[in-house]
Amino acid sequence: MLHFDLYRWDFANLRRITTLADVRDADPVDARTAIAVRSRFGAQPGQPIVLRSDASQLVTVDLMTGQVTPRGDASIDQVLSGPRSSPDATRMAYVAHRGGRWSLFVDDTSITVPGDPVSVAWLSNEELLVTLFAGGFAELHR
């Protein structure tokens, strides 16, 4: 079974941060911490194989130890993508597929945008740049 893990590469060395953690889409909050998405499919290590859908959840990753801490419950009713921490590390934005559509969330509150959000980036502590699909085109919105 394929597992996503985090690695640190400094152009000379490659160091594995997590092992069998199923984490991806990491965004460093600071030199020690990142926020990421954990997606698990099938069995958990040491448990019997159970076929089920992908369970998705936001997590915090300690970049020194590799410890993964959930930031909420895992759910098969949503797909999470691209969590991003604000420059001052006090806010978080991400994209989620829930109820048949993609939505933008800031601090776990849904934000209405004119299309389907794909990715998000913080321009400042109060302003986001969002890529979204609307009318067959990819657009950037502030």
Side-chain angles (χ1 to χ4, degrees), residues 26-30 33-35 71 82-94 120-125 128:
D27 184 43
V29 174
D30 55 39
T33 310
I35 55 174
R71 295 179 66 107
R84 297 294 175 254
S85 175
S86 62
D88 66 0
T90 61
R91 305 181 77 189
M92 179 177 56
Y94 60 94
V120 61
W122 289 93
L123 297 176
S124 70
N125 291 326
L128 293 170

Side-chain angles (χ1 to χ4, degrees):
M1 181 176 289
L2 177 66
H3 295 275
F4 292 97
D5 278 306
L6 299 184
Y7 291 80
R8 182 182 299 244
W9 179 48
D10 65 9
F11 298 99
N13 301 298
L14 181 67
R15 183 177 77 80
R16 188 177 201 156
I17 296 172
T18 60
T19 302
L20 302 176
D22 299 314
V23 292
R24 59 181 174 75
D25 278 347
D27 184 43
V29 174
D30 55 39
R32 292 194 52 91
T33 310
I35 55 174
V37 174
R38 175 165 50 193
S39 295
R40 292 229 155 129
F41 184 83
Q44 304 303 317
Q47 296 181 1
I49 294 175
V50 176
L51 296 178
R52 61 178 176 78
S53 297
D54 193 29
S56 187
Q57 77 183 136
L58 295 171
V59 296
T60 300
V61 180
D62 184 312
L63 298 174
M64 301 300 129
T65 66
Q67 177 163 348
V68 177
T69 305
R71 295 179 66 107
D73 294 332
S75 173
I76 62 172
D77 297 324
Q78 67 182 353
V79 176
L80 302 171
S81 181
R84 297 294 175 254
S85 175
S86 62
D88 66 0
T90 61
R91 305 181 77 189
M92 179 177 56
Y94 60 94
V95 175
H97 187 269
R98 296 177 180 167
R101 67 177 308 255
W102 288 96
S103 300
L104 171 65
F105 286 82
V106 176
D107 300 327
D108 295 320
T109 300
S110 180
I111 305 297
T112 302
V113 293
D116 292 325
V118 178
S119 64
V120 61
W122 289 93
L123 297 176
S124 70
N125 291 326
E126 299 299 323
E127 189 174 22
L128 293 170
L129 180 66
V130 181
T131 304
L132 53 89
F133 287 115
F137 296 94
E139 301 176 348
L140 295 176
H141 285 259
R142 287 181 126 169

